[in-house]
Amino acid sequence: MKRRLGLFLLLSGTFVAARLLVARAVDRPVPEARLLALHAVAVPLAAIGIATGSIIVGAFSVPKNGVLLSLIWFVIGQAALLGIAKLYQVHITPYNDMAEIQQQNLAAGFALSGVLVAVGYIISHAIEGEFTSWWTDIFGVMTYIVVGLAILAL
């Protein structure tokens, strides 16, 4: 049961994150241009899968928490991943990631991928552990993520 749930979360989480983060890069009317853009999109798509898998590991790290609580932490983790990735795309990079990826710029795809994997690991470690209380855990997760991102920015 847990393996099926983990696989479902990996596939659905990756699909949703991919649609929200990189789908614009391949929404092209010309099929040839769309296929060329897929080469640059493949790297961020793999990174989304790695980050989502890391979040699943963190969310389900303590069996005592139960499936429902682990699912809630997974959703919180995915929302944090998407929010931080959007923040990176809109406010941190001096260029438009999606425009660069559409122009087959693999370097832009690798830059976005590195951020996605690093943030996925940070979130994974932030949400793992035994549940104590919502206030304490949310505060701890936010602190862990902020400190992790500050270190990542160095």
Side-chain angles (χ1 to χ4, degrees), residues 14 17-19 22-23 38 40-50 113 116:
T14 302
R19 290 296 301 162
V22 294
L38 287 177
V41 172
V43 176
L45 286 177
I48 290 170
I50 292 168
S113 298
L116 289 168

Side-chain angles (χ1 to χ4, degrees), residues 15 19 22-42 45 101-104:
F15 176 78
R19 290 296 301 162
V22 294
R24 290 180 293 146
V26 293
D27 287 341
R28 309 283 305 261
V30 181
E32 294 82 17
R34 184 176 181 179
L35 283 176
L36 289 174
L38 287 177
H39 293 290
V41 172
L45 286 177
I101 290 172
Q102 282 178 339
Q103 296 172 5
Q104 306 167 37

Side-chain angles (χ1 to χ4, degrees), residues 11-80:
L11 294 175
S12 61
T14 302
F15 176 78
V16 169
R19 290 296 301 162
L20 294 175
L21 293 177
V22 294
R24 290 180 293 146
V26 293
D27 287 341
R28 309 283 305 261
V30 181
E32 294 82 17
R34 184 176 181 179
L35 283 176
L36 289 174
L38 287 177
H39 293 290
V41 172
V43 176
L45 286 177
I48 290 170
I50 292 168
T52 299
S54 297
I55 292 170
I56 291 169
V57 168
F60 287 86
S61 65
V62 179
K64 183 179 175 183
N65 287 345
V67 174
L68 181 61
L69 193 58
S70 296
L71 283 172
I72 292 169
W73 282 115
F74 169 74
V75 170
I76 290 170
Q78 280 296 101

